[in-house]
């Protein structure tokens, strides 16, 4: 009887067949769990499981489909034990109460994280591929995906983002094509309930997007509320983790920033970058000893008429995740 098992696997052979999929698997795990740090861990677990099973891979599906099967099931297992990751706007409506500093959310809230573009930049030079990758990682979409049941989330991503067929998706999830089709319908309906599509966003490489990012950065570095007024749309929203409260409308956004955040010129330093296919900046704040220390990151939704949404993440580890140092010199 002829065995279909491979010879004992070699590290070089395994890497040659699988390593080229690492970045797209990272993006897949991120879409599933909403955290760049968690996604990195899940990809590591995926490759560990794949290495252990590599000798038994018989080639009945592509190596890519096989890896996605492992990665998806790793994510589904992880999601059984983790809370949903949210943005402040996923907790409550915009704050319209008495004037005060935004309140910090309870400690049991798990926050969505941005994903630096540099971590998942596609090797394919096809502009259409690049645009699809960016659009499927927009923060608004990632936030909405987290509100879907985990298996519906997986079905939607596999079918509509990664373009696996219903039969391939059923094989990956070890279910039926009928269950995949039903799950996809429910996932689409739930996304429709979660809210309208955001305004058409500019690509981060669009000069208008970069000009808006530069204006936002300059407003903070100069402590210039008037410049913010030029950058933000009238209907702009502003939210920041770990704060529960968020603001809607340019007037409310600028009032809160000017009174509680902007401080004095030189308190903030921001370095332009990109995350989730959107303009972004690594954020530094001047400490009491005068040093500029990593503070977090901010991601903007930019449109032809201005910044429609600014989402700040106050977590210093995110700054270094973007590849920037812990501290800056003046």
């Amino acid at each position: 009887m002829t065995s279909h098992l491979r010879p004992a696997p070699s590290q070089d052979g395994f890497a040659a067949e699988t390593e080229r999929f690492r970045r797209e698997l990272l993006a897949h795990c991120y879409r599933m769990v909403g955290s760049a740090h968690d996604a990195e861990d899940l990809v590591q677990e995926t490759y560990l499981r794949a290495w252990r099973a590599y000798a038994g891979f018989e080639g009945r599906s592509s190596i890519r489909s096989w890896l996605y099967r492992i990665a998806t099931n790793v994510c589904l297992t992880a999601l059984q034990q983790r809370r949903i990751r949210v943005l402040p706007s996923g907790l409550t409506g915009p704050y319209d109460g008495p004037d005060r500093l935004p309140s910090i959310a309870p400690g049991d809230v798990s926050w969505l994280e941005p994903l630096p573009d540099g971590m998942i930049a596609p090797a394919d030079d096809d502009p259409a591929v690049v645009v699809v990758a960016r659009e499927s990682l927009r923060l608004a979409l990632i936030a909405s995906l987290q509100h879907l049941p985990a298996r519906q989330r997986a079905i939607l991503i596999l079918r509509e983002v990664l373009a696996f067929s219903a039969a391939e998706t059923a094989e990956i999830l070890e279910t039926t094509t009928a269950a995949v089709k039903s799950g996809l319908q429910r996932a689409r309906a739930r996304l429709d309930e979660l809210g309208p599509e955001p305004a058409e966003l500019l690509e981060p490489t669009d000069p208008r997007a970069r000009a808006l990012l530069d204006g936002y950065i300059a407003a903070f570095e100069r402590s210039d509320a008037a410049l913010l007024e030029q950058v933000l749309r009238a209907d702009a929203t502003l939210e920041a983790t770990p704060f529960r409260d968020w603001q809607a409308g340019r007037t409310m956004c600028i009032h809160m920033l000017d009174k509680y955040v902007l401080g004095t010129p030189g308190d903030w330093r921001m370095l332009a970058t990109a995350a989730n296919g959107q303009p972004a900046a690594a954020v530094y704040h001047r400490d009491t000893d005068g040093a500029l220390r990593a503070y977090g990151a901010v991601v903007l939704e930019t449109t032809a008429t201005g910044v429609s949404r600014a989402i700040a993440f106050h977590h210093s580890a995110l700054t270094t995740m973007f590849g920037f140092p812990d501290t800056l010199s003046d």
Side-chain angles (χ1 to χ4, degrees):
M1 181 174 178
T2 303
S3 172
H4 293 288
L5 294 181
R6 295 182 170 210
S10 71
Q11 190 66 46
D12 289 345
F14 175 75
E17 284 207 83
T18 65
E19 196 60 30
R20 66 186 184 275
F21 300 111
R22 184 177 289 271
R23 285 175 178 255
E24 63 175 276
L25 288 169
L26 178 63
H28 177 56
C29 291
Y30 173 73
R31 293 182 189 102
M32 286 292 295
V33 302
S35 161
H37 289 103
D38 285 358
E40 286 188 303
D41 292 341
L42 294 170
V43 169
Q44 287 297 105
E45 176 65 19
T46 295
Y47 274 81
L48 179 61
R49 292 191 188 186
W51 165 249
R52 290 171 175 168
Y54 184 59
F57 174 63
E58 299 178 5
R60 286 194 293 261
S61 62
S62 69
I63 193 81
R64 180 174 181 264
S65 295
W66 180 68
L67 287 170
Y68 269 101
R69 179 175 182 171
I70 297 172
T72 301
N73 283 289
V74 165
C75 290
L76 290 173
T77 299
L79 287 168
Q80 292 174 1
Q81 305 163 359
R82 304 185 192 194
R83 292 188 294 267
I84 181 175
R85 288 187 174 272
V86 296
L87 292 172
S89 55
L91 295 175
T92 185
Y95 182 74
D96 59 359
D99 187 18
R100 62 168 172 79
L101 186 69
S103 60
I104 294 179
D108 59 354
V109 174
S110 292
W111 296 112
L112 197 73
E113 292 179 354
L115 180 67
D117 280 13
M119 293 176 67
I120 46 85
D124 198 316
D125 292 329
D126 182 349
V129 173
V130 174
V131 169
V132 169
R134 285 175 177 164
E135 289 182 349
S136 67
L137 289 165
R138 302 291 198 196
L139 266 176
L141 174 60
I142 299 300
S144 294
L145 287 174
Q146 306 314 300
H147 291 277
L148 298 178
R151 287 183 69 83
Q152 286 184 25
R153 192 184 317 170
I155 289 170
L156 184 78
I157 293 168
L158 291 167
R159 291 285 288 118
E160 300 208 333
V161 175
L162 298 167
F164 283 108
S165 68
E168 289 170 325
T169 301
E171 183 178 357
I172 288 171
L173 294 173
E174 298 179 328
T175 188
T176 65
T177 55
V180 166
K181 292 176 181 178
S182 175
L184 181 59
Q185 288 180 338
R186 291 196 296 272
R188 286 171 173 165
R190 178 61 179 139
L191 281 185
D192 288 343
E193 291 173 1
L194 289 170
E197 289 291 319
E200 185 172 347
L201 303 183
L202 301 173
E203 288 296 313
T205 53
D206 189 309
R208 295 171 296 174
R210 182 52 192 262
L212 289 168
L213 175 62
D214 288 346
Y216 191 88
I217 290 174
F220 268 78
E221 294 185 344
R222 301 174 193 170
S223 185
D224 188 343
L227 181 54
L228 269 179
E229 188 168 2
Q230 298 175 32
V231 171
L232 298 179
R233 284 174 29 148
D235 61 352
T237 61
L238 173 71
E239 49 193 310
T241 65
F243 298 101
R244 179 183 181 88
D245 299 334
W246 58 284
Q247 288 70 42
R250 181 169 56 205
T251 300
M252 289 292 294
C253 294
I254 293 175
H255 173 76
M256 195 281 296
L257 289 172
D258 191 29
K259 186 168 184 178
Y260 297 109
V261 179
L262 290 180
T264 59
D267 281 353
W268 297 96
R269 178 77 62 81
M270 296 187 183
L271 302 178
T273 184
N276 298 81
Q278 298 168 227
V283 180
Y284 294 80
H285 187 258
R286 194 172 300 280
D287 212 337
T288 52
D289 62 2
L292 284 163
R293 290 194 168 86
Y295 192 79
V298 62
V299 182
L300 304 182
E301 287 186 359
T302 55
T303 73
T305 54
V307 172
S308 59
R309 189 181 191 188
I311 307 171
F313 301 86
H314 295 171
H315 184 20
S316 61
L318 293 175
T319 308
T320 52
M321 187 176 70
F322 278 86
F324 295 105
D326 288 320
T327 60
L328 291 179
S329 56
D330 285 314

